[in-house]
Amino acid sequence: MTETETKNLAKEYGYTTYLVERYIDLFGLEETIKLLEANERKPFPSIRCNTLRVPIKTFEKRMKNRQFTLKKIPYIIHGYQVLKSKYPLGATPEYLLGFYYIQGTASMIPVYVLDPQPGELVIDACAAPGGKTTQIAQLMKNKGTIIAVDLKLNRLKSLCSNLSRCSVRNTIVLHTDARKLPALGIKADKVLLDAPCTGEGLICIDPSRKTSRKMEDIHWCSSLQKELLTAAIKATKTGGHLVYSTCSIAPEENEEVIQYVLEKEQLGVEVEDTGLEIGENGLIKAFGKTFDLSLSLAKRFYPHKHTTEGFFFCLLKKK
Amino acid sequence: MSPKEKMSFRKANKEEVMIITSAIAEFGKNLPLKILENEKILISKNREKKVFLVSKEVYRQFVHIKKNETPYFIGVNIGEIGKNKRFKLSIEGIHEVGKHTKKKVIVSDKGEQFVLYGHSILKKSVLRIPKNLKKGSNVIVANVYGDPIGLGRLHVNSEEIHNLKDEDLILINVLDRGWYLRKGG
Ligand SMILES: C[S@@+](CC[C@H](N)C(=O)[O-])C[C@H]1O[C@@H](n2cnc3c(N)ncnc32)[C@H](O)[C@@H]1O
């Protein structure tokens, strides 16, 4: 493919050229076109039933009464696609009662992979607005403790509002930089790092991201992510687990970040199998760089393959 | 809570526990025990004295963490103690109380919509109301399924309701879960 052809393709779909160039390099032309096409279609919104507030059966009945057409997502026990709705999802009495959280399909999976248990100590390192914190509390049945951290005050307000709405009781919210986690002097059983990212995977939901991010942003995010993950690992106890996730499909924000911590031997982490059948394997090479073979155990989700937002996650164990 | 302020917490003192307990007891004698048993009560040290319930496990972590970091929020916020030393339920406080109390007014589906828009309640929306409640007393407002959706103040004695017209005001909306939409962010 010539430079002009790439430029034209980028223009046709409204992207900055470098993004399309990168996709072609990573996936080849045919798949790139499928990805660009899929990004033109907004996925159905999805919601997670909050069993802290309502049993699943009651939830299904109540949503039906409210004239919602839901389709169970087969691989997510609390997840539903919303095929039809008469009312805005964020304004129903059921929403206000905390019966559900509006959450991207792929973004529901990392917490099941982390598998937090009642009674454990869990850190949610980049928590706001709380989609995953509320989900962690749900799996912990509100028992044990969650330390939920975020740096941005205005986002903390939404986090606290969502915690309250969803009946979460076991959380301590900290307004701090997650890079300072090791200074807290706690060692958690489980840590989730749902890192700030360029959000490239969300183009199908927010097309402005076709042009709003630059290559510098990817590099900037990548180095912040490496620092955050290093700190998160230090706050995990020996034998404990971490999940690293982003809503980006850029290898610099994903495999490269994991590779960085694998190479730092003193951090003592290894990649573990998620045991999931869905999702593509993580990359073991990208843009001329090669990654540890274990990175194929990480998971990638794409709009054109999984009809979800673009997403990445990786399960790590602290040795 | 304005996003700017940073919380800092201490244990409730005896007077504060009394204030909270007696306010909750207005909704039923056994409610303070049901709601407060096994919980630590923390008070925010800010201008507003917000009241938080925290399990023993969470409290243990809190004691540890506060040496290095001041939490922004903790456990469940059930209300606040005002300058007048009166306890006011928060939305989740209403939920806690609403799960157990008999002082509950059931409103119709339409009525539920009105409440969640922040409106007060007219007679035509009231499906069920307990007997012997005095004008001015606080009651939990619930939907047809019994889910607590707000707190109302009676505008009439509950016995009088039969003599009133459909459009007459029964309950003044004090606080409702529509807050999450209007202000929750
Ligand atoms: C992808 S979002 C998290 C979404 C959240 N986990 C959820 O599921 O709802 C990333 C978050 O990281 C926060 N953040 C950015 N830099 C941070 C830092 N250095 N420490 C802690 N949080 C940070 C942002 O404010 C943002 O809320």
Side-chain angles (χ1 to χ4, degrees):
Chain A
M1 186 132 185
T2 67
E3 216 173 285
T4 329
E5 282 171 327
T6 310
K7 244 189 198 150
N8 286 342
L9 188 61
K11 201 167 162 201
E12 187 186 336
Y13 286 92
Y15 286 70
T16 326
T17 310
Y18 88 93
L19 261 183
V20 174
E21 257 166 25
R22 285 163 55 85
Y23 292 155
I24 295 175
D25 194 342
L26 280 177
F27 311 125
L29 178 61
E30 204 178 318
E31 210 185 309
T32 297
I33 292 175
K34 282 188 191 152
L35 172 62
L36 299 179
E37 269 303 316
N39 271 345
E40 297 302 303
R41 296 183 295 271
K42 231 183 182 165
F44 283 112
S46 46
I47 58 179
R48 170 176 49 81
C49 167
N50 174 26
T51 48
L52 289 178
R53 266 276 145 90
V54 63
I56 288 186
K57 282 275 163 293
T58 313
F59 166 76
E60 288 178 350
K61 222 187 276 164
R62 293 278 291 269
M63 293 306 280
K64 200 167 162 197
N65 290 350
R66 190 68 64 193
Q67 290 167 295
F68 276 80
T69 311
L70 302 184
K71 186 177 157 212
K72 186 99 198 36
I73 303 170
Y75 50 91
I76 300 178
I77 66 167
H78 306 109
Y80 299 81
Q81 279 187 329
V82 184
L83 303 184
K84 250 199 268 163
S85 57
K86 217 174 141 188
Y87 306 95
L89 276 176
T92 65
E94 289 72 20
Y95 175 80
L96 297 172
L97 280 162
F99 283 13
Y100 60 88
Y101 197 102
I102 306 165
Q103 191 175 1
T105 302
S107 132
M108 291 184 204
I109 308 171
V111 173
Y112 295 108
V113 170
L114 188 66
D115 194 25
Q117 297 294 317
E120 286 184 332
L121 175 60
V122 180
I123 297 175
D124 187 354
C126 290
K132 299 184 188 68
T133 322
T134 53
Q135 194 180 2
I136 292 169
Q138 174 175 359
L139 297 195
M140 293 171 81
K141 303 194 163 72
N142 255 337
K143 305 241 161 58
T145 309
I146 304 171
I147 315 287
V149 176
D150 207 281
L151 186 57
K152 307 238 168 77
L153 261 181
N154 56 347
R155 291 178 65 99
L156 279 181
K157 193 182 162 227
S158 317
L159 170 65
C160 295
S161 172
N162 279 321
L163 293 176
S164 296
R165 181 178 62 85
C166 293
S167 212
V168 174
R169 313 178 63 115
N170 65 337
T171 302
I172 302 175
V173 177
L174 302 180
H175 171 219
T176 188
D177 189 323
R179 285 173 289 189
K180 293 194 203 148
L181 273 174
L184 283 183
I186 51 170
K187 294 276 185 201
D189 299 294
K190 308 261 165 79
V191 179
L192 175 71
L193 175 59
D194 187 36
C197 67
T198 57
E200 214 186 303
L202 300 181
I203 288 175
C204 54
I205 297 161
D206 171 15
S208 73
R209 291 169 197 253
K210 289 176 177 180
T211 54
S212 60
R213 303 292 196 277
K214 298 193 198 65
M215 202 51 223
E216 293 94 278
D217 296 322
I218 296 185
H219 291 310
W220 186 84
C221 281
S222 177
S223 60
L224 173 62
Q225 288 153 351
K226 287 170 189 166
E227 289 179 41
L228 285 166
L229 184 55
T230 303
I233 291 169
K234 288 182 181 163
T236 311
K237 75 173 193 195
T238 306
H241 284 89
L242 291 99
V243 169
Y244 174 84
S245 61
T246 70
C247 53
S248 169
I249 55 173
E252 293 88 340
E253 301 189 70
N254 298 315
E255 287 86 351
E256 191 183 305
V257 176
I258 307 293
Q259 178 71 22
Y260 173 85
V261 296
L262 291 179
E263 281 172 10
K264 294 229 170 314
E265 271 177 28
Q266 73 277 17
L267 288 176
V269 281
E270 62 192 9
V271 178
E272 272 207 353
D273 193 349
T274 60
L276 292 177
E277 279 167 20
I278 34 142
E280 293 263 295
N281 291 347
L283 304 173
I284 48 173
K285 56 177 200 276
F287 307 132
K289 283 184 194 158
T290 54
F291 305 123
D292 193 89
L293 286 180
S294 66
L295 266 158
S296 65
L297 297 173
K299 287 286 180 185
R300 287 183 154 258
F301 286 79
Y302 298 107
H304 62 296
K305 291 190 169 158
H306 310 100
T307 59
T308 63
E309 69 278 25
F311 209 82
F312 172 92
F313 57 83
C314 181
L315 174 64
L316 294 168
K317 181 175 182 177
K318 179 126 170 210
K319 291 183 276 190
Chain B
M1 178 170 32
S2 112
K4 288 254 152 49
E5 33 188 299
K6 196 142 188 171
M7 287 272 191
S8 127
F9 305 89
R10 59 168 173 78
K11 270 196 187 168
N13 62 33
K14 273 208 182 111
E15 188 194 11
E16 287 158 347
V17 173
M18 272 293 292
I19 292 172
I20 298 163
T21 310
S22 55
I24 293 178
E26 279 181 29
F27 290 90
K29 280 210 188 73
N30 57 350
L31 257 61
L33 188 67
K34 282 203 165 125
I35 293 171
L36 305 173
E37 198 183 20
N38 294 323
E39 305 278 353
K40 301 265 182 203
I41 306 176
L42 297 186
I43 308 279
S44 61
K45 287 195 222 163
N46 302 46
R47 265 177 303 123
E48 301 164 308
K49 286 192 187 175
K50 301 228 179 205
V51 180
F52 296 82
L53 298 187
V54 176
S55 72
K56 292 198 178 99
E57 291 168 284
V58 173
Y59 185 75
R60 206 172 341 111
Q61 295 298 340
F62 163 72
V63 170
H64 189 64
I65 283 174
K66 73 172 180 179
K67 292 178 210 148
N68 300 305
E69 188 66 43
T70 309
Y72 177 83
F73 187 89
I74 187 165
V76 50
N77 166 230
I78 59 158
E80 69 182 62
I81 299 177
K83 283 211 183 73
N84 54 6
K85 298 205 170 176
R86 290 186 56 158
F87 176 69
K88 269 194 338 205
L89 288 170
S90 68
I91 302 177
E92 293 317 309
I94 292 169
H95 187 82
E96 288 298 301
V97 168
K99 281 194 290 194
H100 307 291
T101 187
K102 295 204 173 77
K103 271 177 119 178
K104 212 155 143 177
V105 171
I106 306 291
V107 298
S108 64
D109 278 342
K110 264 252 168 69
E112 178 179 32
Q113 297 284 350
F114 283 126
V115 174
L116 294 174
Y117 279 125
H119 299 312
S120 290
I121 296 164
L122 309 181
K123 183 187 167 185
K124 62 181 177 191
S125 298
V126 175
L127 297 183
R128 231 181 312 142
I129 186 163
K131 287 190 180 123
N132 302 323
L133 292 180
K134 288 263 167 323
K135 177 175 177 172
S137 53
N138 284 333
V139 289
I140 301 297
V141 183
N143 62 15
V144 290
Y145 302 100
D147 305 316
I149 54 170
L151 183 74
R153 186 167 306 128
L154 272 175
H155 190 64
V156 294
N157 296 320
S158 68
E159 303 300 300
E160 290 162 26
I161 186 165
H162 308 290
N163 311 327
L164 299 175
K165 291 199 259 334
D166 266 2
E167 301 298 323
D168 284 337
L169 175 67
I170 304 293
L171 277 174
I172 296 160
N173 183 332
V174 179
L175 183 61
D176 67 86
R177 294 190 78 89
W179 183 93
Y180 286 121
L181 191 61
R182 299 191 296 268
K183 302 214 179 110

